[in-house]
Amino acid sequence: MCGIVGYIGKEQAAPIILDGLGKLEYRGYDSAGMAILKDGQIQIKKSVGRLKVLEELTHGGSLMEGVVGIGHTRWATHGAPSNENSHPHVNQKETIAVVHNGIIENYIPLKNKLIEKGYSFQSETDTEVLAHLLDYYYKGNPLEAITKVLHRVEGSYALGIMFMDQPDQIFAVRKDSPLIVGQNEDGCFIASDVPAILKYTRKVYFVDNQEIVRLRHDHMHFYTVDEEEITKEATTIDWDTEAAEKAGYEHFMLKEMYEQPKTVIDTLKPRLKGNEIHFDELKMTDEQLKAVRKIHIVACGSAYHAGVTGKYVLEGVARIPVEVDMASEFRYRSPILEEGAMVVVVSQSGETADTLAALREAKKLGFPVLGIVNAVGSSIAREADSVIYTWAGPEIAVATTKAYSAQLIVLYLLALKFGMVKGTLEQNCYEEMIADLKKLPDQIELLLAHKEKIQHFANRYIGAKDIFFIGRGIDYSISLEGSLKLKEISYIHSEAYAAGELKHGTISLIEEGTLVTAVSTQPALYQKTISNMVEVKARGAFVMAITNEGNKEIEKAADYVIYIPDTNPYFTNSLAIIPLQLFGYYVAVGKGCDVDKPRNLAKSVTVE
Ligand code: AGP
């Protein structure tokens, strides 16, 4: 996810673009750049790091004079953060500049064709292909060149495009990635999102899929991908800037929860060619995968909880022994890794000190390390032997939701990949599981729609002192994450317990009215978990159950039941966690906590 801004008008473009990019840093912040047109030349400035580096480099934009320009703040997907990979990207003659948010899925074959035609590339990005393709088709008519390019590319894109010999116009194009345009008395604007231009105008147009906008300094024209001119209605935005950054949600955490369906799609779709799993970035052949005899998953916090689920799924589907460690424990326990072992480190930020140290420990012992990381080009991504990215985009809220969901998807895919390579998974069963994976985004959407019901229930517990989460197997790992979500943002003490273990001591803490959340999504364990629910109820607990649609028997033992749609038992974590995220969120909101920035916590724990 990246942020793009464009401007054409009477004012100097660079300061306006920098200001707009600053409102979009929540969309990406590992590098930035601008292209400004002046006296028939395109000036380009790029920088790695936060936007302020570009601001300092250009003296707030004053070193880049001109009234036409485009800019970009990046969240890397293809190619680590670097000057070469930063946007804008240009053709070789530097007569065309492009900024892009999205993923060009067929950029590799297009790049190869362009290289055959003599084009040379400066970056590893998918976006640079667009600059050279526009060059290839441009014969003096920008709209014609743009539509020809759109007929060739596949994937998602929000584009800002500038032609050196067209100083009186810039172009915006959209497919699947958000894009708006706006106008005021001084000029016209392009932006990925409303916050970037709200300071200049509240009258915006939401660009729809496969639409092209031609912006001049005093008016705009809209076209279809077939160059037919269309008219569009403007929208007047009544949000304030801060609300707009959250797209109207009260907190980034809620916004990111609602991004989970798209996150699952973005992480799943590029790795499925039909029903076949392709981990292009996994530098291990099927033979090497087949030779893996044990997997050590090492992570912290929610990433560790995803790893616990990963253990159950990998062992169940691929019959590979899996050990899961908290990174802070792994790195100091002189771990014993046998021949044929591989280490998988999981990290949203890719900068967690303990996880990075565990990675280095594993490599020092001579074992291959796979990173499952969200931040492209982060330390863990760079030091792992291979890395599979979760494409969740920047996650602003300290309490992870969408990145955690994306980690689960990668772990499911890994388990299925291992299962097929090792022959432990029948083809028909594999295909059914792939079909179930594809249903998850819509099912998550359905569960998110229950937020009012969960908010109402959560309000009953804002005064709670202790809340327990119990489950068996995968339900235990779901309980771990549900408990952490609650306590880290509401500051209410909470524990997750293996349901069968409760009676060995902790059950003494259950009092009249204590809330116990029983997660019961594994049909083979339904009865066992029901007996644990009866145990705690006998001691006065109020039991909220999370279970699969159709498991009506649980109503005998539960006081309040939340049902999740039917899916493969190995994938229930992706669904059951949604009501638990919402529960933790609304308890914290009800308590008036700082949900996005909880006390004592940091988004990335880069200290030991
Ligand atoms: C999760 O909500 C917490 N913010 C925290 O436990 C986090 O998962 C942990 O610090 C690991 O972070 P990482 O995924 O960036 O390595």
Side-chain angles (χ1 to χ4, degrees):
M1 186 157 79
C2 305
I4 69 174
V5 176
Y7 175 77
I8 181 167
K10 300 173 192 163
E11 304 294 331
Q12 286 301 303
I16 292 172
I17 291 170
L18 287 171
D19 177 69
L21 292 176
K23 302 290 190 302
L24 298 180
E25 273 207 298
Y26 73 89
R27 302 180 59 82
Y29 43 72
D30 58 44
S31 50
M34 275 194 295
I36 306 292
L37 185 52
K38 168 93 171 150
D39 301 336
Q41 291 300 316
I42 294 181
Q43 313 158 74
I44 301 267
K45 289 281 183 201
K46 301 180 179 183
S47 60
V48 177
R50 301 298 294 246
L51 184 66
K52 71 177 183 306
V53 178
L54 184 65
E55 284 167 347
E56 288 159 7
L57 183 66
T58 61
H59 292 188
S62 60
L63 295 183
M64 298 181 82
E65 287 185 8
V67 296
V68 186
I70 54 178
H72 184 272
T73 182
R74 187 172 184 239
W75 179 265
T77 52
H78 296 75
S82 68
N83 271 342
E84 296 72 23
N85 290 332
S86 304
H87 303 210
H89 288 286
V90 295
N91 61 335
Q92 284 165 235
K93 295 173 287 190
E94 299 201 2
T95 56
I96 299 171
V98 184
V99 289
H100 168 223
N101 172 33
I103 294 176
I104 303 300
E105 290 172 9
N106 63 333
Y107 83 97
I108 291 175
L110 289 173
K111 183 170 182 175
N112 293 337
K113 283 199 176 64
L114 286 162
I115 289 170
E116 283 167 18
K117 292 184 184 302
Y119 286 88
S120 61
F121 284 75
Q122 309 307 316
S123 78
E124 305 160 84
T125 66
D126 52 340
T127 306
E128 191 183 352
V129 166
L130 298 173
H132 297 306
L133 214 45
L134 282 164
D135 178 272
Y136 178 73
Y137 286 117
Y138 185 57
K139 306 283 183 273
N141 178 335
L143 191 59
E144 179 192 58
I146 290 169
T147 52
K148 285 184 174 176
V149 167
L150 299 189
H151 282 100
R152 293 290 304 278
V153 299
E154 295 161 15
S156 59
Y157 44 84
L159 304 176
I161 305 170
M162 194 162 71
F163 295 81
M164 187 181 78
D165 61 353
Q166 306 283 345
D168 62 342
Q169 54 190 323
I170 56 176
F171 292 82
V173 186
R174 190 239 166 151
K175 178 174 173 290
D176 294 339
S177 294
L179 192 64
I180 63 169
V181 292
Q183 180 177 357
N184 68 7
E185 63 284 353
D186 296 326
C188 289
F189 306 81
I190 300 171
S192 294
D193 199 357
V194 165
I197 61 173
L198 209 50
K199 176 177 168 183
Y200 306 100
T201 178
R202 288 187 173 272
K203 185 180 151 193
V204 304
Y205 298 82
F206 290 91
V207 183
D208 289 311
N209 267 358
Q210 305 269 300
E211 286 182 350
I212 303 162
V213 191
R214 184 202 306 265
L215 297 91
R216 296 182 189 279
H217 74 276
D218 58 358
H219 67 278
M220 297 183 282
H221 289 279
F222 299 88
Y223 304 88
T224 68
V225 72
D226 299 317
E227 297 185 47
E228 288 155 22
E229 188 154 3
I230 54 176
T231 54
K232 284 179 76 70
E233 291 298 312
T235 302
T236 301
I237 300 293
D238 56 9
W239 297 334
D240 64 30
T241 305
E242 194 199 345
E245 279 182 20
K246 296 166 190 153
Y249 290 97
E250 190 182 351
H251 298 101
F252 278 112
M253 184 177 175
L254 189 61
K255 174 172 174 281
E256 288 154 8
M257 276 192 247
Y258 273 74
E259 287 174 357
Q260 289 179 114
K262 182 177 182 308
T263 296
V264 168
I265 291 169
D266 289 350
T267 302
L268 191 60
K269 191 175 163 196
R271 283 141 184 162
L272 283 181
K273 306 278 188 287
N275 274 344
E276 211 174 287
I277 296 172
H278 287 260
F279 274 131
D280 299 336
E281 62 269 55
L282 180 60
K283 298 182 187 112
M284 292 176 75
T285 63
D286 285 0
E287 282 317 302
Q288 287 170 318
L289 291 174
K290 207 169 184 174
V292 172
R293 301 201 4 233
K294 179 163 187 180
I295 294 174
H296 293 262
I297 300 177
V298 186
C300 299
S302 295
Y304 167 76
H305 299 153
V308 177
T309 294
K311 168 187 170 63
Y312 288 111
V313 182
L314 278 157
E315 289 190 341
V317 169
R319 306 309 295 157
I320 299 177
V322 179
E323 208 171 309
V324 193
D325 274 279
M326 294 168 188
S328 54
E329 289 295 308
F330 179 86
R331 62 181 293 201
Y332 293 118
R333 67 174 177 81
S334 305
I336 299 169
L337 280 69
E338 308 85 1
E339 191 185 338
M342 79 178 280
V343 175
V344 177
V345 294
V346 186
S347 177
Q348 185 284 128
S349 63
E351 300 298 345
T352 299
D354 284 323
T355 310
L356 183 56
L359 175 156
R360 290 169 177 165
E361 176 73 11
K363 290 188 72 173
K364 195 169 69 180
L365 294 170
F367 288 88
V369 179
L370 164 66
I372 298 177
V373 180
N374 195 43
V376 174
S378 56
S379 303
I380 290 174
R382 279 183 282 107
E383 296 192 28
D385 296 303
S386 52
V387 61
I388 296 176
Y389 285 117
T390 50
W391 282 336
E395 190 175 60
I396 307 301
V398 166
T400 183
T401 50
K402 62 175 185 173
Y404 166 82
S405 287
Q407 289 162 358
L408 293 174
I409 296 299
V410 171
L411 288 162
Y412 300 155
L413 287 171
L414 210 51
L416 290 170
K417 180 76 179 173
F418 270 110
M420 290 307 280
V421 163
K422 285 178 167 286
T424 58
L425 199 55
E426 294 294 324
Q427 182 65 28
N428 63 330
C429 186
Y430 169 84
E431 285 174 7
E432 281 170 19
M433 292 176 83
I434 294 289
D436 281 337
L437 283 180
K438 291 177 179 175
K439 290 177 194 163
L440 288 177
D442 288 343
Q443 293 176 321
I444 291 170
E445 199 90 53
L446 272 176
L447 288 165
L448 287 166
H450 294 171
K451 69 173 183 178
E452 282 79 14
K453 173 184 165 190
I454 292 171
Q455 180 175 13
H456 178 74
F457 180 74
N459 285 337
R460 291 163 48 179
Y461 289 95
I462 56 179
K465 293 288 173 287
D466 295 296
I467 295 179
F468 292 83
F469 294 75
I470 63 172
R472 291 169 179 262
I474 285 176
D475 291 337
Y476 170 53
S477 63
I478 298 169
S479 299
L480 287 168
E481 179 59 12
S483 173
L484 177 61
K485 282 288 98 39
L486 172 76
K487 61 188 158 186
E488 71 174 324
I489 60 176
S490 73
Y491 317 144
I492 291 176
H493 171 255
S494 171
E495 284 186 64
Y497 243 81
E501 181 65 10
L502 204 60
K503 54 186 171 296
H504 298 284
T506 300
I507 200 165
S508 66
L509 297 178
I510 305 300
E511 297 171 340
E512 187 60 33
T514 302
L515 175 61
V516 175
T517 298
V519 183
S520 179
T521 69
Q522 304 298 302
L525 299 168
Y526 280 166
Q527 288 310 317
K528 293 295 178 195
T529 305
I530 284 178
S531 59
N532 298 131
M533 292 160 66
V534 170
E535 276 167 15
V536 294
K537 272 187 73 63
R539 286 145 180 95
F542 182 98
V543 177
M544 165 165 81
I546 313 270
T547 193
N548 308 331
E549 281 166 1
N551 179 21
K552 294 297 183 194
E553 200 181 342
I554 206 162
E555 289 177 6
K556 283 187 312 193
D559 298 298
Y560 182 76
V561 183
I562 295 173
Y563 289 100
I564 64 170
D566 189 38
T567 186
N568 186 289
Y570 286 119
F571 305 151
T572 57
N573 192 150
S574 297
L575 301 180
I577 198 59
I578 302 302
L580 296 182
Q581 289 169 347
L582 288 167
F583 176 69
Y585 171 79
Y586 282 117
V587 170
V589 167
K591 288 190 68 178
C593 296
D594 184 348
V595 172
D596 286 333
K597 297 185 180 67
R599 68 185 184 198
N600 310 337
L601 295 181
K603 182 60 187 168
S604 176
V605 184
T606 55
V607 293
E608 299 198 356

